[in-house]
């Protein structure tokens, strides 16, 4: 039996970051991962999808979009999907190795295997195969898996390869002629954008009356229109009833309708991986399949923490990073608590969209005294220079009483890169008069923030 200060179960972003963070603060740390370091984000999520989307952007410019700038390519331009997958695998392998190297440098002991939880001598214990490990503190970071809806024909389609989850589509080496995407959230939206760009005819079916979940409606609808211009078909307020023989049956406006597909992608959300052997015996509380935590990421059991997707709060890698730091800081006795008021989210399409804080709809529902400051992205000289005129916007939600920012939504080039500035304003509750006096570099797309505040 080996004893540690901290045992982390799960080697995704939340897990490996918290393990490294704890080790840097002098703790003896064990990390247990049953598959590959990097978790969903690195292996079958954030990074692989961005590799795909970047390939799509290069194809977009090479196949004619560059002509407006005097750049043309001779001969036919095509996408070798097998080569795209190969490049994706290369990127993933390199980054997984980097994670492993960072853990080794931090002297984190990494064990590959499935963890079973328990308690020995009053301490949390983890059993991996024949080995037993105990610790003063246990951090659960087991992530999430794609939800598979109980729709007729889905099980059979997954068996014959015509129906996939997000993990599997990233290994598909051929571009389907007709791709059906069930679910209009961020993952489904990005995959719809990529495959439409490289030659598939994409249909998206979404149960809600809007895409991109709870994100700002106005910007979500603007981004949907951009994809529609490229040929993506959206059926909103629609429920899928059956998948069979390359035909989807869905209900819209009380009527059953049909659409053809070669491949179908299920993107209807994710479920926390809380089915950990021994969790119930340890006495850890769960609710709706997720582990319940407080503001310190501690469960109802002292010295047992849950971070990342497994707590079901906000399933984003960067949220897991921060939750892990909060958990470790609590272990270290430092004053720290998790806040979800300034969580950024990005849709990496072209153009990009980014969101942080409250949407306009949420601000209205909260009863706050707020105002919307909004300006066209065409006020950004750099954006126009690189993209021409477009329908993008910078939309800021301002608390009128405090004169501080409480939310923002963007649709523009580089939105993913400057949404952080808006997150910082929300998190620190910076007075807007101070932000207005800040000098923004010119020409940059982020200058649009100043334009919106001065509007």
């Amino acid at each position: 039996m080996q004893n540690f200060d901290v045992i982390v179960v799960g080697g995704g972003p939340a897990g490996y970051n918290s393990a490294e963070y704890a080790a840097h603060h002098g703790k003896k740390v064990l990390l247990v991962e049953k598959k590959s370091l990097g978790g969903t984000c690195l292996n079958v999520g954030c990074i692989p999808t961005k590799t795909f989307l970047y390939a799509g952007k290069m194809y977009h410019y090479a196949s004619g979009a560059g002509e407006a700038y005097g750049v043309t390519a001779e001969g036919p331009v095509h996408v070798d999907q097998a080569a795209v997958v190969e490049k994706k695998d290369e990127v993933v392998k390199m980054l997984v190795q980097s994670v492993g190297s960072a853990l080794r440098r931090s002297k984190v002991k990494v064990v590959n295997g499935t963890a079973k939880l328990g308690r020995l001598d009053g301490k949390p214990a983890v059993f991996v195969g024949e080995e037993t490990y105990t610790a003063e503190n246990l951090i659960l970071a087991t992530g999430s898996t794609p939800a598979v809806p109980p729709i007729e024909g889905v099980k059979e389609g997954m068996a014959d390869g015509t129906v996939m989850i997000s993990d599997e589509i990233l290994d598909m080496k051929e571009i389907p002629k007709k791709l059906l995407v069930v679910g209009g959230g961020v993952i489904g939206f990005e995959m719809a954008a990529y495959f439409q760009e490289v030659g598939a005819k994409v249909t998206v079916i979404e149960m809600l009356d809007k895409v991109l979940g709870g994100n700002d409606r106005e910007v979500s609808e603007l981004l949907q229109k951009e994809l529609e211009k490229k040929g993506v078909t959206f059926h909103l307020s629609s429920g899928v009833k059956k998948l069979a023989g390359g035909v989807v049956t869905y209900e819209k406006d009380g009527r059953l309708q049909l659409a053809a597909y070669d491949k179908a992608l299920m993107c209807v959300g994710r479920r926390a991986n809380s089915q950990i052997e021994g969790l119930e015996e340890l006495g850890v509380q769960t609710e709706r399949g997720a582990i319940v935590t407080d503001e310190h990421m501690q469960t109802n059991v002292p010295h047992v923490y849950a971070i990342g997707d497994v707590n079901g709060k906000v399933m984003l890698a960067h949220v897991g990073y921060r939750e892990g730091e909060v958990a470790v800081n609590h272990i270290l006795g430092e004053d720290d608590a998790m806040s979800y008021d300034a969580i950024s989210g990005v849709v990496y399409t072209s153009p990009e969209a980014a969101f942080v804080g409250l949407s306009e709809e949420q601000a209205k529902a909260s009863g706050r005294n707020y105002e919307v400051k909004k300006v066209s992205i065409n006020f950004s000289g750099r954006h126009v220079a690189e993209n021409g005129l477009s329908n993008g916007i910078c939309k800021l939600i301002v608390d009128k009483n405090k004169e501080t920012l409480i939310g923002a939504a963007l649709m523009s080039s580089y939105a993913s890169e400057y949404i952080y500035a808006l997150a910082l304003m929300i998190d620190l509750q910076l007075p807007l008069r101070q932000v207005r006096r800040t000098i923004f570099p010119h020409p940059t797309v982020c200058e649009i923030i100043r334009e919106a505040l001065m509007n």
Side-chain angles (χ1 to χ4, degrees):
M1 183 174 70
Q2 300 180 52
N3 186 55
F4 292 82
D5 298 317
V6 179
I7 295 178
V8 180
V9 178
Y16 70 69
N17 186 66
S18 63
E20 189 175 351
Y21 186 70
H24 280 312
H25 285 78
K27 297 298 183 181
K28 184 181 178 183
V29 182
L30 169 70
L31 174 65
V32 181
E33 168 55 47
K34 70 176 181 179
K35 290 183 180 179
S36 302
L37 289 174
T40 293
C41 180
L42 183 47
N43 291 280
V44 289
C46 320
I47 300 302
T49 55
K50 302 310 157 293
T51 308
F52 273 36
L53 289 164
Y54 185 67
K57 288 178 182 178
M58 288 194 289
Y59 174 75
H60 174 71
Y61 287 113
S63 59
E67 290 181 7
Y69 290 84
V71 179
T72 58
E74 294 184 2
V77 178
H78 70 282
V79 175
D80 182 343
Q81 185 62 20
V84 174
V85 171
E86 183 178 354
K87 180 63 178 178
K88 178 265 298 183
D89 291 340
E90 176 188 326
V91 170
V92 168
K93 181 179 179 180
M94 178 176 61
L95 292 176
V96 168
Q97 289 174 343
S98 295
V99 170
S101 296
L103 290 169
R104 285 192 296 273
R105 287 195 301 270
S106 301
K107 295 181 171 54
V108 173
K109 180 179 177 65
V110 177
V111 171
N112 188 254
T114 300
K116 176 183 177 182
L117 308 181
R119 189 175 291 278
L120 283 176
D121 301 326
K123 297 179 180 179
V126 174
F127 309 95
V128 184
E130 300 299 319
E131 299 294 329
T132 299
Y133 308 94
T134 60
E136 302 297 327
N137 300 278
L138 173 64
I139 299 177
L140 303 175
T142 49
S144 65
T145 51
V148 179
I151 297 172
E152 183 180 350
V154 166
K155 184 177 180 181
E156 293 79 4
M158 293 183 72
D160 65 25
T162 57
V163 178
M164 298 168 289
I165 57 176
S166 55
D167 296 9
E168 297 161 342
I169 199 169
L170 295 169
D171 288 327
M172 187 172 64
K173 297 182 179 180
E174 295 181 354
I175 299 168
K177 292 182 179 179
K178 297 178 181 178
L179 175 66
L180 169 68
V181 179
V182 180
V186 173
I187 298 173
F189 206 88
E190 290 182 347
M191 288 296 91
Y194 170 72
F195 281 100
Q196 182 71 37
E197 185 69 67
V198 298
K201 180 66 185 76
V202 180
T203 299
V204 178
I205 299 179
E206 166 59 50
M207 287 188 65
L208 301 178
D209 65 348
K210 65 179 292 294
V211 294
L212 301 179
N215 289 312
D216 184 88
R217 179 177 290 272
E218 182 177 12
V219 170
S220 297
E221 290 177 348
L222 283 173
L223 196 58
Q224 177 186 331
K225 289 177 182 177
E226 291 298 313
L227 261 64
E228 287 174 336
K229 290 177 186 177
K230 297 178 180 181
V232 178
T233 299
F234 288 88
H235 298 294
L236 306 182
S237 301
S238 302
V240 175
K241 299 298 181 183
K242 181 180 179 181
L243 295 170
V247 176
V248 56
T249 302
Y250 63 98
E251 184 177 0
K252 184 174 184 179
D253 299 326
R255 295 186 297 112
L256 294 179
Q257 301 187 41
L258 306 175
Y261 66 88
D262 298 312
K263 297 285 187 178
L265 171 64
M266 295 289 113
C267 286
V268 295
R270 301 184 67 85
R271 291 176 178 165
N273 290 333
S274 61
Q275 302 301 312
I276 311 166
E277 188 175 359
L279 184 71
E280 187 174 342
E281 290 80 359
L282 202 57
V284 175
Q285 180 185 356
T286 62
E287 188 174 291
R288 296 181 180 179
I291 296 177
V292 178
T293 59
D294 62 14
E295 69 273 19
H296 305 299
M297 313 319 303
Q298 189 168 220
T299 69
N300 62 303
V301 179
H303 306 290
V304 178
Y305 301 79
I307 61 175
D309 288 6
V310 74
N311 65 37
K313 295 182 185 295
V314 181
M315 292 185 175
L316 294 171
H318 44 286
V319 175
Y321 286 150
R322 174 63 184 141
E323 289 177 337
E325 292 165 0
V326 169
V328 173
N329 285 339
H330 191 255
I331 290 169
L332 296 171
E334 295 185 12
D335 184 19
D336 197 4
M338 187 66 194
S339 170
Y340 298 94
D341 293 339
I343 304 299
S344 303
V346 180
V347 187
Y348 292 87
T349 48
S350 184
E352 295 179 342
F355 310 88
V356 65
L358 299 181
S359 66
E360 182 178 359
E361 296 77 25
Q362 290 168 335
K364 183 177 181 180
S366 72
R368 294 191 189 212
N369 182 21
Y370 75 95
E371 67 175 326
V372 176
K373 292 182 176 292
K374 182 170 59 178
V375 67
S376 167
I377 199 64
N378 296 324
F379 279 86
S380 164
R382 182 178 182 185
H383 179 89
V384 174
E386 296 182 358
N387 301 276
L389 298 178
S390 71
N391 294 323
I393 63 172
C394 172
K395 180 177 182 180
L396 308 180
I397 313 298
V398 175
D399 186 313
K400 292 180 70 174
N401 295 338
K402 297 180 180 179
E403 266 294 292
T404 56
L405 191 67
I406 57 175
L410 309 169
M411 189 176 89
S412 77
S413 55
Y414 308 111
S416 60
E417 300 298 336
Y418 70 94
I419 191 67
Y420 172 73
L422 296 163
L424 195 64
M425 294 174 201
I426 295 172
D427 197 37
L428 300 181
Q429 285 294 278
L430 293 176
L432 295 185
R433 65 179 179 277
Q434 180 179 342
V435 178
R436 291 188 186 98
R437 294 171 182 174
T438 301
I439 299 174
F440 288 78
H442 177 80
T444 56
V445 180
C446 73
E447 286 179 286
I448 202 66
I449 297 172
R450 181 180 181 277
E451 294 290 343
L453 290 176
M454 298 297 285
N455 182 24

